Amino acid sequence: ARVAGDDVNVRSGQGTRHGIVTQLNADARVRVVGEAGNWYLIVLPPSTAPAAPADTGIEPRPLTGWVYRALLDGESGAQL
């Protein structure tokens, strides 16, 4: 799916009461991996996901967050 606006908040949960994980700009491409109500669970693009500390020895995994449905263009599950 494609982000439909600038400075779109990606949240830690469904709803504005949850904290902001990061922000995405228009036309950023994301993969939708879940949905609940009017919210999509997305995998963040690698360029926006915080890096894991190098000294932990832990493999970083894709970071996810929630975006309000109206702020994405494309089908659920799509990576356009």
Side-chain angles (χ1 to χ4, degrees):
R2 187 176 53 81
V3 175
D6 279 323
D7 301 323
V8 170
N9 292 330
V10 179
R11 297 187 175 271
S12 61
Q14 308 153 35
T16 56
R17 69 184 179 281
H18 294 279
I20 297 170
V21 174
T22 191
Q23 291 184 321
L24 297 174
N25 291 322
D27 297 324
R29 297 178 192 281
V30 297
R31 184 166 44 102
V32 177
V33 294
E35 60 184 284
N38 287 323
W39 292 83
Y40 283 139
L41 178 63
I42 64 165
V43 175
L44 293 173
S47 62
T48 61
D55 60 353
T56 63
I58 298 172
E59 279 293 314
R61 62 178 197 186
L63 188 63
T64 59
W66 293 88
V67 175
Y68 191 70
R69 177 185 301 259
L71 300 174
L72 294 180
D73 289 334
E75 297 296 318
S76 177
Q79 185 172 359
L80 305 175

